[in-house]
PDB file of all heavy atoms in Angstrom:
ATOM      1  N   PRO N 278      59.669 124.991 199.698  1.00 97.00           N
ATOM      2  CA  PRO N 278      60.245 124.569 198.479  1.00 97.00           C
ATOM      3  C   PRO N 278      59.090 124.076 197.501  1.00 97.00           C
ATOM      4  O   PRO N 278      57.992 123.757 197.903  1.00 97.00           O
ATOM      5  CB  PRO N 278      61.200 123.429 198.710  1.00 97.00           C
ATOM      6  CG  PRO N 278      60.670 122.828 200.066  1.00 97.00           C
ATOM      7  CD  PRO N 278      60.110 123.978 200.768  1.00 97.00           C
ATOM      8  N   GLN N 279      59.450 123.919 196.206  1.00 97.00           N
ATOM      9  CA  GLN N 279      58.495 123.336 195.283  1.00 97.00           C
ATOM     10  C   GLN N 279      58.162 121.882 195.657  1.00 97.00           C
ATOM     11  O   GLN N 279      58.959 121.100 196.234  1.00 97.00           O
ATOM     12  CB  GLN N 279      59.325 123.203 193.859  1.00 97.00           C
ATOM     13  CG  GLN N 279      59.633 124.597 193.160  1.00 97.00           C
ATOM     14  CD  GLN N 279      60.428 124.452 191.979  1.00 97.00           C
ATOM     15  OE1 GLN N 279      61.323 123.654 191.949  1.00 97.00           O
ATOM     16  NE2 GLN N 279      60.179 125.203 190.968  1.00 97.00           N
ATOM     17  N   GLY N 280      56.862 121.617 195.304  1.00 97.00           N
ATOM     18  CA  GLY N 280      56.380 120.249 195.677  1.00 97.00           C
ATOM     19  C   GLY N 280      55.882 120.175 197.184  1.00 97.00           C
ATOM     20  O   GLY N 280      55.577 118.998 197.520  1.00 97.00           O
ATOM     21  N   TYR N 281      55.979 121.073 197.926  1.00 98.00           N
ATOM     22  CA  TYR N 281      55.578 121.066 199.347  1.00 98.00           C
ATOM     23  C   TYR N 281      54.774 122.293 199.681  1.00 98.00           C
ATOM     24  O   TYR N 281      54.798 123.285 199.042  1.00 98.00           O
ATOM     25  CB  TYR N 281      56.849 121.117 200.201  1.00 98.00           C
ATOM     26  CG  TYR N 281      57.721 119.759 199.999  1.00 98.00           C
ATOM     27  CD1 TYR N 281      58.638 119.729 198.948  1.00 98.00           C
ATOM     28  CD2 TYR N 281      57.615 118.752 200.887  1.00 98.00           C
ATOM     29  CE1 TYR N 281      59.318 118.488 198.876  1.00 98.00           C
ATOM     30  CE2 TYR N 281      58.258 117.560 200.717  1.00 98.00           C
ATOM     31  CZ  TYR N 281      59.196 117.424 199.739  1.00 98.00           C
ATOM     32  OH  TYR N 281      59.893 116.263 199.608  1.00 98.00           O
ATOM     33  N   TYR N 282      54.079 122.183 200.826  1.00 97.00           N
ATOM     34  CA  TYR N 282      53.285 123.373 201.411  1.00 97.00           C
ATOM     35  C   TYR N 282      53.734 123.467 202.822  1.00 97.00           C
ATOM     36  O   TYR N 282      54.187 122.525 203.435  1.00 97.00           O
ATOM     37  CB  TYR N 282      51.814 123.176 201.157  1.00 97.00           C
ATOM     38  CG  TYR N 282      51.210 122.022 201.918  1.00 97.00           C
ATOM     39  CD1 TYR N 282      50.723 122.171 203.174  1.00 97.00           C
ATOM     40  CD2 TYR N 282      51.160 120.792 201.242  1.00 97.00           C
ATOM     41  CE1 TYR N 282      50.163 121.131 203.932  1.00 97.00           C
ATOM     42  CE2 TYR N 282      50.672 119.656 202.069  1.00 97.00           C
ATOM     43  CZ  TYR N 282      50.110 119.864 203.281  1.00 97.00           C
ATOM     44  OH  TYR N 282      49.556 118.863 203.937  1.00 97.00           O
ATOM     45  N   HIS N 291      60.722 119.977 204.196  1.00 96.00           N
ATOM     46  CA  HIS N 291      60.167 118.916 203.535  1.00 96.00           C
ATOM     47  C   HIS N 291      59.124 118.124 204.456  1.00 96.00           C
ATOM     48  O   HIS N 291      59.047 116.997 204.298  1.00 96.00           O
ATOM     49  CB  HIS N 291      61.167 118.008 202.988  1.00 96.00           C
ATOM     50  CG  HIS N 291      62.218 118.621 201.971  1.00 96.00           C
ATOM     51  ND1 HIS N 291      63.560 118.701 202.287  1.00 96.00           N
ATOM     52  CD2 HIS N 291      61.917 119.240 200.903  1.00 96.00           C
ATOM     53  CE1 HIS N 291      64.113 119.404 201.284  1.00 96.00           C
ATOM     54  NE2 HIS N 291      63.140 119.893 200.483  1.00 96.00           N
ATOM     55  N   TYR N 293      55.685 118.747 204.694  1.00 97.00           N
ATOM     56  CA  TYR N 293      54.391 118.492 204.116  1.00 97.00           C
ATOM     57  C   TYR N 293      54.439 118.423 202.630  1.00 97.00           C
ATOM     58  O   TYR N 293      54.401 119.467 201.920  1.00 97.00           O
ATOM     59  CB  TYR N 293      53.384 119.673 204.562  1.00 97.00           C
ATOM     60  CG  TYR N 293      53.391 119.882 206.114  1.00 97.00           C
ATOM     61  CD1 TYR N 293      54.051 120.874 206.684  1.00 97.00           C
ATOM     62  CD2 TYR N 293      52.559 118.950 206.682  1.00 97.00           C
ATOM     63  CE1 TYR N 293      53.948 121.053 208.155  1.00 97.00           C
ATOM     64  CE2 TYR N 293      52.462 119.059 208.168  1.00 97.00           C
ATOM     65  CZ  TYR N 293      53.127 120.122 208.862  1.00 97.00           C
ATOM     66  OH  TYR N 293      53.028 120.279 210.189  1.00 97.00           O
ATOM     67  N   PRO N 294      54.536 117.391 201.958  1.00 97.00           N
ATOM     68  CA  PRO N 294      54.557 117.193 200.563  1.00 97.00           C
ATOM     69  C   PRO N 294      53.242 117.365 199.901  1.00 97.00           C
ATOM     70  O   PRO N 294      52.152 117.010 200.541  1.00 97.00           O
ATOM     71  CB  PRO N 294      55.144 115.745 200.307  1.00 97.00           C
ATOM     72  CG  PRO N 294      54.647 115.016 201.518  1.00 97.00           C
ATOM     73  CD  PRO N 294      54.670 116.042 202.650  1.00 97.00           C
ATOM     74  N   CYS N 295      53.131 117.951 198.763  1.00 97.00           N
ATOM     75  CA  CYS N 295      51.923 117.925 198.004  1.00 97.00           C
ATOM     76  C   CYS N 295      51.511 116.462 197.874  1.00 97.00           C
ATOM     77  O   CYS N 295      52.353 115.546 197.356  1.00 97.00           O
ATOM     78  CB  CYS N 295      52.069 118.551 196.625  1.00 97.00           C
ATOM     79  SG  CYS N 295      52.200 120.369 196.775  1.00 97.00           S
ATOM     80  N   PRO N 296      50.258 116.071 198.001  1.00 96.00           N
ATOM     81  CA  PRO N 296      49.899 114.701 198.055  1.00 96.00           C
ATOM     82  C   PRO N 296      49.949 114.116 196.598  1.00 96.00           C
ATOM     83  O   PRO N 296      49.905 114.884 195.618  1.00 96.00           O
ATOM     84  CB  PRO N 296      48.543 114.650 198.683  1.00 96.00           C
ATOM     85  CG  PRO N 296      47.960 115.963 198.404  1.00 96.00           C
ATOM     86  CD  PRO N 296      49.137 116.912 198.483  1.00 96.00           C
ATOM     87  N   ALA N 297      49.889 112.804 196.537  1.00 95.00           N
ATOM     88  CA  ALA N 297      49.818 112.148 195.072  1.00 95.00           C
ATOM     89  C   ALA N 297      48.457 112.639 194.510  1.00 95.00           C
ATOM     90  O   ALA N 297      47.414 112.816 195.061  1.00 95.00           O
ATOM     91  CB  ALA N 297      49.744 110.684 195.391  1.00 95.00           C
ATOM     92  N   GLY N 298      48.683 113.004 193.164  1.00 94.00           N
ATOM     93  CA  GLY N 298      47.573 113.566 192.523  1.00 94.00           C
ATOM     94  C   GLY N 298      47.586 115.067 192.391  1.00 94.00           C
ATOM     95  O   GLY N 298      46.835 115.703 191.662  1.00 94.00           O
ATOM     96  N   TRP N 299      48.595 115.611 193.048  1.00 96.00           N
ATOM     97  CA  TRP N 299      48.805 117.032 193.062  1.00 96.00           C
ATOM     98  C   TRP N 299      50.305 117.288 192.925  1.00 96.00           C
ATOM     99  O   TRP N 299      51.170 116.510 192.996  1.00 96.00           O
ATOM    100  CB  TRP N 299      48.315 117.646 194.399  1.00 96.00           C
ATOM    101  CG  TRP N 299      46.920 117.343 194.777  1.00 96.00           C
ATOM    102  CD1 TRP N 299      46.476 116.135 195.158  1.00 96.00           C
ATOM    103  CD2 TRP N 299      45.848 118.293 194.788  1.00 96.00           C
ATOM    104  NE1 TRP N 299      45.103 116.218 195.507  1.00 96.00           N
ATOM    105  CE2 TRP N 299      44.711 117.596 195.238  1.00 96.00           C
ATOM    106  CE3 TRP N 299      45.737 119.657 194.503  1.00 96.00           C
ATOM    107  CZ2 TRP N 299      43.531 118.108 195.337  1.00 96.00           C
ATOM    108  CZ3 TRP N 299      44.494 120.159 194.620  1.00 96.00           C
ATOM    109  CH2 TRP N 299      43.405 119.492 195.050  1.00 96.00           C
ATOM    110  N   TYR N 300      50.501 118.586 192.496  1.00 97.00           N
ATOM    111  CA  TYR N 300      52.034 118.953 192.268  1.00 97.00           C
ATOM    112  C   TYR N 300      52.090 120.466 192.444  1.00 97.00           C
ATOM    113  O   TYR N 300      51.077 121.132 192.620  1.00 97.00           O
ATOM    114  CB  TYR N 300      52.510 118.558 190.893  1.00 97.00           C
ATOM    115  CG  TYR N 300      51.822 119.387 189.675  1.00 97.00           C
ATOM    116  CD1 TYR N 300      52.641 120.521 189.273  1.00 97.00           C
ATOM    117  CD2 TYR N 300      50.697 119.129 189.186  1.00 97.00           C
ATOM    118  CE1 TYR N 300      52.016 121.325 188.282  1.00 97.00           C
ATOM    119  CE2 TYR N 300      50.063 119.735 188.075  1.00 97.00           C
ATOM    120  CZ  TYR N 300      50.825 120.911 187.747  1.00 97.00           C
ATOM    121  OH  TYR N 300      50.204 121.672 186.726  1.00 97.00           O
ATOM    122  N   SER N 301      53.374 121.032 192.601  1.00 96.00           N
ATOM    123  CA  SER N 301      53.593 122.396 192.611  1.00 96.00           C
ATOM    124  C   SER N 301      54.914 122.714 192.145  1.00 96.00           C
ATOM    125  O   SER N 301      56.019 122.364 192.586  1.00 96.00           O
ATOM    126  CB  SER N 301      53.459 122.852 194.106  1.00 96.00           C
ATOM    127  OG  SER N 301      53.705 124.278 194.135  1.00 96.00           O
ATOM    128  N   CYS N 312      48.268 123.328 196.213  1.00 97.00           N
ATOM    129  CA  CYS N 312      49.020 122.514 195.189  1.00 97.00           C
ATOM    130  C   CYS N 312      48.108 122.520 194.013  1.00 97.00           C
ATOM    131  O   CYS N 312      46.916 122.569 194.189  1.00 97.00           O
ATOM    132  CB  CYS N 312      49.217 121.143 195.767  1.00 97.00           C
ATOM    133  SG  CYS N 312      50.314 121.055 197.206  1.00 97.00           S
ATOM    134  N   SER N 321      50.854 112.224 189.298  1.00 94.00           N
ATOM    135  CA  SER N 321      51.842 112.892 190.209  1.00 94.00           C
ATOM    136  C   SER N 321      52.023 112.161 191.427  1.00 94.00           C
ATOM    137  O   SER N 321      50.979 111.824 192.171  1.00 94.00           O
ATOM    138  CB  SER N 321      51.396 114.356 190.518  1.00 94.00           C
ATOM    139  OG  SER N 321      51.164 115.029 189.380  1.00 94.00           O
ATOM    140  N   VAL N 322      53.280 111.786 191.886  1.00 95.00           N
ATOM    141  CA  VAL N 322      53.465 111.216 193.160  1.00 95.00           C
ATOM    142  C   VAL N 322      53.651 112.318 194.188  1.00 95.00           C
ATOM    143  O   VAL N 322      53.614 113.394 193.840  1.00 95.00           O
ATOM    144  CB  VAL N 322      54.761 110.359 193.050  1.00 95.00           C
ATOM    145  CG1 VAL N 322      54.601 109.140 192.117  1.00 95.00           C
ATOM    146  CG2 VAL N 322      55.974 111.127 192.685  1.00 95.00           C
ATOM    147  N   ASN N 323      53.829 111.850 195.492  1.00 94.00           N
ATOM    148  CA  ASN N 323      54.004 112.838 196.541  1.00 94.00           C
ATOM    149  C   ASN N 323      55.162 113.804 196.237  1.00 94.00           C
ATOM    150  O   ASN N 323      56.164 113.356 195.642  1.00 94.00           O
ATOM    151  CB  ASN N 323      54.398 112.175 197.870  1.00 94.00           C
ATOM    152  CG  ASN N 323      53.098 111.570 198.449  1.00 94.00           C
ATOM    153  OD1 ASN N 323      52.006 111.815 198.044  1.00 94.00           O
ATOM    154  ND2 ASN N 323      53.378 110.749 199.509  1.00 94.00           N
ATOM    155  N   ALA N 324      55.005 115.020 196.509  1.00 95.00           N
ATOM    156  CA  ALA N 324      55.985 116.093 196.363  1.00 95.00           C
ATOM    157  C   ALA N 324      56.557 116.314 194.802  1.00 95.00           C
ATOM    158  O   ALA N 324      57.571 116.684 194.737  1.00 95.00           O
ATOM    159  CB  ALA N 324      57.238 115.701 197.247  1.00 95.00           C
ATOM    160  N   SER N 325      55.571 116.139 194.065  1.00 95.00           N
ATOM    161  CA  SER N 325      55.897 116.300 192.611  1.00 95.00           C
ATOM    162  C   SER N 325      56.088 117.811 192.310  1.00 95.00           C
ATOM    163  O   SER N 325      55.207 118.577 192.819  1.00 95.00           O
ATOM    164  CB  SER N 325      54.823 115.755 191.715  1.00 95.00           C
ATOM    165  OG  SER N 325      54.939 114.301 191.744  1.00 95.00           O
ATOM    166  N   ILE N 326      57.040 118.036 191.481  1.00 96.00           N
ATOM    167  CA  ILE N 326      57.073 119.505 190.981  1.00 96.00           C
ATOM    168  C   ILE N 326      56.215 119.775 189.740  1.00 96.00           C
ATOM    169  O   ILE N 326      55.656 120.841 189.450  1.00 96.00           O
ATOM    170  CB  ILE N 326      58.567 119.882 190.738  1.00 96.00           C
ATOM    171  CG1 ILE N 326      59.362 119.823 192.158  1.00 96.00           C
ATOM    172  CG2 ILE N 326      58.781 121.207 190.083  1.00 96.00           C
ATOM    173  CD1 ILE N 326      60.805 119.965 191.931  1.00 96.00           C
ATOM    174  N   SER N 327      56.154 118.667 188.963  1.00 95.00           N
ATOM    175  CA  SER N 327      55.377 118.777 187.730  1.00 95.00           C
ATOM    176  C   SER N 327      54.756 117.445 187.427  1.00 95.00           C
ATOM    177  O   SER N 327      55.357 116.314 187.905  1.00 95.00           O
ATOM    178  CB  SER N 327      56.202 119.159 186.491  1.00 95.00           C
ATOM    179  OG  SER N 327      57.211 118.243 186.354  1.00 95.00           O
TER     180      SER N 327
END
Side-chain angles (χ1 to χ4, degrees):
Q279 295 172 316
Y281 293 83
Y282 63 95
H291 302 120
Y293 302 103
C295 287
W299 304 72
Y300 71 97
S301 175
C312 302
S321 301
V322 297
N323 282 349
S325 290
I326 295 175
S327 60

